[in-house]
Amino acid sequence: MAPERSERTLGSRQLAGMLPDPAERRPAYRHLARAISELVLDGRVALRVRLPAERELAAALGTSRATVTAVYDLLRESGYAHSRQGSGTWTALPPGSAPSGVARALVPPDTAIDLARAAPGLPEEMLRDALDRVAPRLAAHAHSPGYHPYGLPELRAAVAERFTRRGLATVPEQVLITSGAQHALTLVLGLLTAPGDRVLVESPSYPNALEAVRRARLRPVSVPVADDGWDTGVVESTLRQVVPRLAYLVPDFHNPTGCLMPEEARARILHAAVRSGTWVVADETLTELALDVPAPAPFAAHAPHGGASGVVTIGSMSKSHWGGLRIGWLRAPSHLVTELAAQRIATDLGGSVLDQLLALDLLPRDAELLPDRLDRLRTRRAALADALTTHLPGWTWRLPPGGLSLWADLGEPVSSALAERAVEYGVRIEGGACFAADPGVLEQRLRVPYTLPPETLREAVHRMATALTDGLPLASATRRPHWVA
């Protein structure tokens, strides 16, 4: 039985624009077939998408139809495509390429350098001082029931004021305080989608968000995020052709690529979402970590008149402050916030009052925390880039303008094998396939966070280079469970 197909068709000009000139190498058909298979493995061409008709692609490439026929034949022989009479040719993966399912567990050994979690810590003195300041306020809450399904009113107001200050007028009734951004996403998926609905996601993307989509039994439809960012035309055409129920996007210092979506692209995508009736969930957990550019305005601020009502913005303090504070939020129309609060009662009744009081104390002190944090991240990013250039010169990457990690291209599909081997050398990291919306792709990619001290990052890169030098198995008989943040 052929794999389930999506309803998308890849345009001939769109595909031709991603392929090399057929005249560059001979035989041209092998050159083109390899290029298409690499696009599939890299996630730039999604799985289960219909390829252009042979005649159309030949015209777009300026080559013969016989050449394109040979390309498609070779793709089918190698397992990167399949066809049925009268239904066209569809992208696929060879048997055995898909990795085993995502598992959660594993705390790294004490001797391991942990590069699987891109999350900074909070200065001890700042946390101690905040605890001292909020203790009297916490005691004042001790005589109340302590349940706040919407969140503490003061914290809702503080988050609303932050949105307003950034350029998106917001009132507290539009804000729901959650136990982190992941909690916010889970609530939104539970309310706005039903099993079997299509959800547009980026590839690569945040693994825990992709897992939440899968666990909700939704059908992810991927759009690629390349080293230079989003192809806005692909996103628009996917919204138009697939009409997904919801789209999950990370426009600010995208996790894991670090790309920042241009303002023009934001406006175009939001217009397309309005036309298709698609809810947009904008994940802004990394927005404040702007290293080389000003922090962007809220994604919803670029919506057409009335279009912001179809946008849910989620954020948290995990990346900007500390993941141990399980404080996140979402901004949405007030009626939707009411429905989401009613839904969250079935799971946790409300968040920790202590954590919310700490958040209320820390948020206004960003001027004390963020400048030093951003300076440290710039220093660590530079140290990581220097270490990679020195020890792994064959790897390539683009320096991101913000965020917490580099998205490295290893030049060959060995990232999962390297991740498994690196554990023996005291480094815990995850291969690029963990960030893929489709199974088996992005094996030549690796997310390398720069949240650790420079000397630790240099040592981690040195250990990974040693693991490669000592010989890397091309395949692994087992797959260890992993945990990513």
Side-chain angles (χ1 to χ4, degrees), residues 96 342 356 381 482:
Q356 292 182 74
R381 182 185 61 177
H482 61 260

mmCIF file with all atom_site columns, all heavy atoms in Angstrom, residues 96 342 356 381 482:
data_model
loop_
_atom_site.group_PDB
_atom_site.id
_atom_site.type_symbol
_atom_site.label_atom_id
_atom_site.label_alt_id
_atom_site.label_comp_id
_atom_site.label_asym_id
_atom_site.label_entity_id
_atom_site.label_seq_id
_atom_site.pdbx_PDB_ins_code
_atom_site.Cartn_x
_atom_site.Cartn_y
_atom_site.Cartn_z
_atom_site.occupancy
_atom_site.B_iso_or_equiv
_atom_site.pdbx_formal_charge
_atom_site.auth_seq_id
_atom_site.auth_comp_id
_atom_site.auth_asym_id
_atom_site.auth_atom_id
_atom_site.pdbx_PDB_model_num
ATOM 1  N N   . GLY A 1 96  ? 13.399  1.917  5.729  1.00 0.00 ? 96  GLY A N   1
ATOM 2  C CA  . GLY A 1 96  ? 14.442  1.867  6.743  1.00 0.00 ? 96  GLY A CA  1
ATOM 3  C C   . GLY A 1 96  ? 15.067  3.195  7.072  1.00 0.00 ? 96  GLY A C   1
ATOM 4  O O   . GLY A 1 96  ? 15.886  3.293  7.979  1.00 0.00 ? 96  GLY A O   1
ATOM 5  N N   . ALA A 1 342 ? -11.335 27.629 30.815 1.00 0.00 ? 342 ALA A N   1
ATOM 6  C CA  . ALA A 1 342 ? -12.268 26.563 31.196 1.00 0.00 ? 342 ALA A CA  1
ATOM 7  C C   . ALA A 1 342 ? -11.668 25.200 30.891 1.00 0.00 ? 342 ALA A C   1
ATOM 8  O O   . ALA A 1 342 ? -11.829 24.235 31.655 1.00 0.00 ? 342 ALA A O   1
ATOM 9  C CB  . ALA A 1 342 ? -13.593 26.750 30.459 1.00 0.00 ? 342 ALA A CB  1
ATOM 10 N N   . GLN A 1 356 ? 4.299   32.584 39.905 1.00 0.00 ? 356 GLN A N   1
ATOM 11 C CA  . GLN A 1 356 ? 3.719   33.775 39.288 1.00 0.00 ? 356 GLN A CA  1
ATOM 12 C C   . GLN A 1 356 ? 4.176   35.051 39.992 1.00 0.00 ? 356 GLN A C   1
ATOM 13 O O   . GLN A 1 356 ? 4.425   36.074 39.343 1.00 0.00 ? 356 GLN A O   1
ATOM 14 C CB  . GLN A 1 356 ? 2.188   33.678 39.284 1.00 0.00 ? 356 GLN A CB  1
ATOM 15 C CG  . GLN A 1 356 ? 1.667   32.591 38.353 1.00 0.00 ? 356 GLN A CG  1
ATOM 16 C CD  . GLN A 1 356 ? 0.155   32.545 38.332 1.00 0.00 ? 356 GLN A CD  1
ATOM 17 O OE1 . GLN A 1 356 ? -0.481  33.417 37.744 1.00 0.00 ? 356 GLN A OE1 1
ATOM 18 N NE2 . GLN A 1 356 ? -0.429  31.543 38.972 1.00 0.00 ? 356 GLN A NE2 1
ATOM 19 N N   . ARG A 1 381 ? 28.441  32.646 21.636 1.00 0.00 ? 381 ARG A N   1
ATOM 20 C CA  . ARG A 1 381 ? 28.227  32.361 20.213 1.00 0.00 ? 381 ARG A CA  1
ATOM 21 C C   . ARG A 1 381 ? 29.536  32.477 19.447 1.00 0.00 ? 381 ARG A C   1
ATOM 22 O O   . ARG A 1 381 ? 29.862  31.617 18.600 1.00 0.00 ? 381 ARG A O   1
ATOM 23 C CB  . ARG A 1 381 ? 27.180  33.315 19.649 1.00 0.00 ? 381 ARG A CB  1
ATOM 24 C CG  . ARG A 1 381 ? 26.824  33.093 18.191 1.00 0.00 ? 381 ARG A CG  1
ATOM 25 C CD  . ARG A 1 381 ? 25.859  34.150 17.671 1.00 0.00 ? 381 ARG A CD  1
ATOM 26 N NE  . ARG A 1 381 ? 26.432  35.500 17.757 1.00 0.00 ? 381 ARG A NE  1
ATOM 27 C CZ  . ARG A 1 381 ? 25.829  36.595 17.314 1.00 0.00 ? 381 ARG A CZ  1
ATOM 28 N NH1 . ARG A 1 381 ? 24.631  36.519 16.775 1.00 0.00 ? 381 ARG A NH1 1
ATOM 29 N NH2 . ARG A 1 381 ? 26.416  37.766 17.430 1.00 0.00 ? 381 ARG A NH2 1
ATOM 30 N N   . HIS A 1 482 ? 15.709  10.341 24.039 1.00 0.00 ? 482 HIS A N   1
ATOM 31 C CA  . HIS A 1 482 ? 16.283  11.672 24.138 1.00 0.00 ? 482 HIS A CA  1
ATOM 32 C C   . HIS A 1 482 ? 15.294  12.655 24.734 1.00 0.00 ? 482 HIS A C   1
ATOM 33 O O   . HIS A 1 482 ? 14.111  12.423 24.820 1.00 0.00 ? 482 HIS A O   1
ATOM 34 C CB  . HIS A 1 482 ? 16.776  12.158 22.774 1.00 0.00 ? 482 HIS A CB  1
ATOM 35 C CG  . HIS A 1 482 ? 15.703  12.252 21.737 1.00 0.00 ? 482 HIS A CG  1
ATOM 36 N ND1 . HIS A 1 482 ? 15.520  11.292 20.777 1.00 0.00 ? 482 HIS A ND1 1
ATOM 37 C CD2 . HIS A 1 482 ? 14.761  13.209 21.513 1.00 0.00 ? 482 HIS A CD2 1
ATOM 38 C CE1 . HIS A 1 482 ? 14.502  11.660 20.003 1.00 0.00 ? 482 HIS A CE1 1
ATOM 39 N NE2 . HIS A 1 482 ? 14.028  12.811 20.433 1.00 0.00 ? 482 HIS A NE2 1
#
